[in-house]
Amino acid sequence: MEKEKEIHSCVDCGTQNCKYKDRTYPDFCLTTNLKEEDRQWALERYDEGNNRQVMIASAEVEYEGYCQWTRVQEIMEFARKINAHRIGIANCIGLINEARIFARILQANGFEAYSVICKVAGQPKTSMGIPAECESIGAAMCNPILQARLLNEAKTDLNVVIGLCVGHDSLFYKYAEAYTTTLVTKDRVTGNNPAAALYTANSYYWKKFFKGNEKK
């Protein structure tokens, strides 16, 4: 049987010439193989709604606070630039303390904070077809779609995710109407620092991630 041709993408590139412009693009480069219709489609989307304002504000925040501002500060500066006053917080119940601290910081800096916790409505997991054994770590299901709806009804100008579970965050992003950014990404094992698993993938976590494979 003929071996399927391996598909390369940006993670296989060693030059990043799309940024530096003084190096060589690989043959499989997404930039040099880009269809003009795809490029134009993306550029046209920046003229929809407030997308261009968001792009400009994002670039300014990156430039002005580069290696100086924490993400908390960046979120507030970004919010000011897009004239966002009411900040929605979609938080995990396990990070309620972090959400409270963030809300106090927002309020101290002239913003309005409105939080909806993940367990809102207290819906039993089994009522949604979730296996009963999943209730051993808590009977109430996370409800990211309801979180999004309640923040939509509160007419938030910008939403901030604090620690929603993998997958639950995906549903929240799908149904939230306001632009959404993430402050905390949950990782119960690494103290909410998921990048730690990547930094140690070639050492402590190698056996977990590459079991049965040659070390990379």
Side-chain angles (χ1 to χ4, degrees):
M1 184 176 178
E2 186 178 347
K3 186 178 180 181
E4 187 175 343
K5 185 179 179 181
E6 186 175 2
I7 298 176
H8 296 288
S9 63
C10 291
V11 293
D12 302 303
C13 174
T15 71
Q16 289 83 55
N17 195 43
C18 52
K19 173 181 178 180
Y20 295 103
K21 304 295 185 182
D22 59 356
R23 303 175 181 179
T24 303
Y25 289 112
D27 292 339
F28 61 82
C29 180
L30 271 62
T31 294
T32 57
N33 289 283
L34 185 66
K35 291 184 291 186
E36 185 58 26
E37 62 188 87
D38 290 336
R39 184 200 304 271
Q40 288 302 320
W41 180 89
L43 292 176
E44 289 167 6
R45 299 290 82 72
Y46 291 114
D47 287 325
E48 291 182 352
N50 295 323
N51 290 349
R52 187 173 295 274
Q53 179 192 12
V54 168
M55 280 297 294
I56 293 172
S58 302
E60 290 177 343
V61 167
E62 179 189 18
Y63 166 71
E64 293 167 9
Y66 199 75
C67 294
Q68 299 180 66
W69 294 342
T70 64
R71 193 170 179 91
V72 170
Q73 185 69 35
E74 287 184 336
I75 289 172
M76 291 192 294
E77 297 298 337
F78 173 72
R80 291 189 181 101
K81 287 180 181 292
I82 65 169
N83 299 314
H85 175 69
R86 179 172 292 181
I87 311 299
I89 302 173
N91 62 285
C92 167
I93 197 168
L95 282 86
I96 184 62
N97 186 52
E98 290 84 347
R100 284 173 177 152
I101 294 170
F102 181 57
R104 290 204 304 270
I105 292 171
L106 290 173
Q107 292 159 352
N109 284 271
F111 297 99
E112 181 182 349
Y114 189 89
S115 163
V116 180
I117 205 164
C118 63
K119 301 298 184 182
V120 63
Q123 188 81 19
K125 290 178 181 175
T126 51
S127 70
M128 285 294 294
I130 297 172
E133 56 264 30
C134 294
E135 292 192 346
S136 64
I137 58 172
M141 73 177 216
C142 294
N143 206 332
I145 294 178
L146 183 56
Q147 283 180 288
R149 182 175 177 86
L150 293 180
L151 289 178
N152 293 343
E153 291 181 351
K155 299 189 182 306
T156 55
D157 302 312
L158 175 70
N159 294 325
V160 179
V161 166
I162 297 182
L164 296 189
C165 296
V166 171
H168 297 153
D169 54 0
S170 302
L171 288 169
F172 178 82
Y173 297 136
K174 180 176 182 178
Y175 287 95
E177 293 176 356
Y179 291 104
T180 301
T181 190
T182 301
L183 176 57
V184 180
T185 303
K186 180 194 292 176
D187 189 324
R188 297 178 181 88
V189 174
T190 65
N192 300 324
N193 178 22
L198 304 179
Y199 299 144
T200 58
N202 286 325
S203 54
Y204 301 112
Y205 272 85
W206 176 71
K207 288 184 179 180
K208 288 182 178 290
F209 294 148
F210 300 111
K211 186 176 182 181
N213 294 286
E214 184 179 333
K215 188 173 181 179
K216 305 202 174 190

